[in-house]
Amino acid sequence: MLDLIIPYSAEHVTSQWLTGALASTGVIRGATVTSFDSERLGEGQGFVGQITRLRLTYGTGEDGVPHSLIAKFPATDPSVRAVVNEFGVYEREVRFYAEVAPQVELSTPRCFYGATDREAGDHVLLLEDLAPARVGDNVAGCSDEDAKLAIREIAKFHAAFWESHRLAALDWIPTFDDTAEIMQERYKRYWDPFLAKVGDMLPPYFLEIAQRFGDNVAGIMRQLGSRPRTVTHGDYRLDNMIFGTPESGRPLTVIDWQLPMIGPGVADVAYFVAFCIDPERRRATEIGLLRGYHSALLEYGVTGYEFDGCLLDYRRSLLYHLTRAVNGGAVLDFSNERGLLLVEAILQRTDSALVDHNVMELMPG
């Protein structure tokens, strides 16, 4: 039997390995991959790994086999790879597709193969290629219709796990309260590297509140962790959304499940609204989107969660997402043109949301 050692990167993939991986999960039966072409994707989009499209050629015909798929590997930069492995995010994504995706209605790519070796730091996913569907663009933003769709779909996902007994079986997904102190330590550790990379791009209020937040990360996370809990995506933004065509029957597919957490679902809403929508449009649509989210939760069976509590959780989540801006900004490479545009957009949009919601008053100390 073929020993399916996890390739270190896309450059280490062979036709023989692809044949073995796809055969081991029943995706192919008698076919063999004889060759493939590769195309690097996702540069400048804030991803913490290699994303490669593989176009496969088979030696014999077989119905239903994938002729194109998406391969995900850890970052090849050893320093980034080590940091991200410390967070356990690659392992989490592999387990998400194996254990969570089959339980929910939210559309995710079909997983053809997944494997993880945390000790070695090697991980791989072979996923469905959804081209030619439209990939969201965090820099360009989205229409009001796309925003409403994104909010409604994530509400359906959150409702499925809302205070559910199934959360106990997902003990590999970190919780807000259990990771509060760890996240505060990491935030402080990455603050100086973050400033060194993007300090000259920071609006004054963002800088002021982000500095003060360093001593309040754990407090805010514990407050959020005490609220009704569900599974959150953790990186719910347009670059991780694929919008389908009328013919596809899948209006929205959500990708990049490396950062799920157990905590308040509205944290995903705050992340999407603050990071993806320009300030003027956000101010005009924000409360409507939040009310739409809350209404969808009720429609899908959530009880005992009032809108005022949802709004407070939303405001606290805006603060919490400073951890994503600081930690991600310190670690990820945004040196290309698209990466710089992404950072500028996120910083400016987040700054305006922090100001508009007067989040300074929410910090415990």
Side-chain angles (χ1 to χ4, degrees):
M1 181 176 177
L2 181 66
D3 185 9
L4 288 177
I5 297 173
I6 301 173
Y8 181 82
S9 68
E11 288 73 25
H12 293 79
V13 172
T14 65
S15 298
Q16 183 185 29
W17 183 86
L18 285 168
T19 298
L22 296 175
S24 72
T25 55
V27 175
I28 59 175
R29 296 177 297 278
T32 59
V33 179
T34 57
S35 64
F36 63 93
D37 296 325
S38 63
E39 174 190 1
R40 182 72 183 272
L41 305 174
E43 292 185 285
Q45 293 183 318
F47 296 133
V48 289
Q50 274 192 316
I51 303 176
T52 303
R53 173 175 285 123
L54 303 179
R55 298 183 179 89
L56 312 183
T57 300
Y58 297 92
T60 57
E62 184 176 310
D63 292 339
V65 299
H67 289 274
S68 179
L69 53 79
I70 303 299
K72 294 192 70 174
F73 294 91
T76 54
D77 183 321
S79 60
V80 174
R81 193 181 185 106
V83 168
V84 179
N85 267 318
E86 176 192 349
F87 294 166
V89 301
Y90 300 129
E91 180 184 10
R92 265 186 265 168
E93 185 168 33
V94 173
R95 295 193 68 172
F96 173 87
Y97 280 106
E99 300 177 34
V100 179
Q103 302 184 48
V104 298
E105 292 184 36
L106 179 68
S107 176
T108 59
R110 178 185 174 189
C111 182
F112 298 124
Y113 179 81
T116 182
D117 183 343
R118 190 172 189 181
E119 184 175 344
D122 297 331
H123 317 269
V124 63
L125 281 166
L126 301 180
L127 301 172
E128 175 186 11
D129 186 355
L130 297 167
R134 172 172 56 90
V135 180
D137 187 333
N138 223 104
V139 175
C142 66
S143 67
D144 292 347
E145 291 72 23
D146 283 349
K148 291 176 183 177
L149 174 63
I151 295 301
R152 185 170 182 83
E153 289 298 301
I154 202 62
K156 184 191 303 183
F157 175 78
H158 291 157
F161 288 96
W162 197 271
E163 291 293 302
S164 171
H165 67 277
R166 291 184 293 171
L167 295 176
L170 302 176
D171 56 0
W172 49 272
I173 301 180
T175 67
F176 272 62
D177 39 1
D178 288 346
T179 58
E181 296 295 338
I182 296 172
M183 289 298 291
Q184 179 160 306
E185 184 278 326
R186 286 175 179 164
Y187 186 92
K188 291 183 174 182
R189 188 198 324 168
Y190 290 121
W191 177 250
D192 286 340
F194 170 73
L195 285 183
K197 288 178 68 173
V198 301
D200 58 346
M201 300 166 61
L202 297 181
Y205 184 77
F206 185 106
L207 178 60
E208 177 186 359
I209 199 165
Q211 285 177 315
R212 183 176 168 187
F213 186 54
D215 291 323
N216 289 275
V217 173
I220 289 294
M221 289 191 67
R222 281 192 292 265
Q223 288 177 342
L224 289 169
S226 69
R227 303 295 292 155
R229 303 188 314 158
T230 185
V231 178
T232 67
H233 180 278
D235 195 15
Y236 198 64
R237 57 189 176 90
L238 287 168
D239 286 344
N240 292 328
M241 299 178 187
I242 300 178
F243 296 89
T245 62
E247 296 77 22
S248 70
R250 300 165 70 178
L252 177 67
T253 298
V254 181
I255 64 172
D256 200 14
W257 290 90
Q258 294 179 335
L259 295 170
M261 292 189 71
I262 293 176
V266 76
D268 281 338
V269 179
Y271 190 83
F272 174 81
V273 173
F275 278 28
C276 299
I277 304 177
D278 283 339
E280 184 175 352
R281 175 170 282 182
R282 174 187 56 76
R283 294 183 183 110
T285 62
E286 184 174 36
I287 292 300
L289 290 172
L290 190 58
R291 288 195 179 277
Y293 171 76
H294 184 258
S295 296
L297 289 178
L298 301 183
E299 178 183 338
Y300 292 123
V302 170
T303 60
Y305 190 52
E306 300 298 327
F307 180 75
D308 287 347
C310 181
L311 177 58
L312 179 58
D313 292 342
Y314 178 89
R315 295 175 66 215
R316 286 173 174 159
S317 296
L318 293 172
L319 262 177
Y320 159 70
H321 289 310
L322 285 171
T323 63
R324 298 299 317 285
V326 170
N327 295 351
V331 172
L332 300 179
D333 179 12
F334 294 103
S335 58
N336 64 32
E337 182 180 1
R338 207 278 179 174
L340 289 173
L341 290 173
L342 177 62
V343 171
E344 290 174 357
I346 288 176
L347 291 177
Q348 292 170 3
R349 292 168 185 170
T350 303
D351 177 66
S352 72
L354 296 173
V355 172
D356 291 348
H357 285 276
N358 191 25
V359 297
M360 190 79 80
E361 69 178 11
L362 300 176
M363 284 196 275

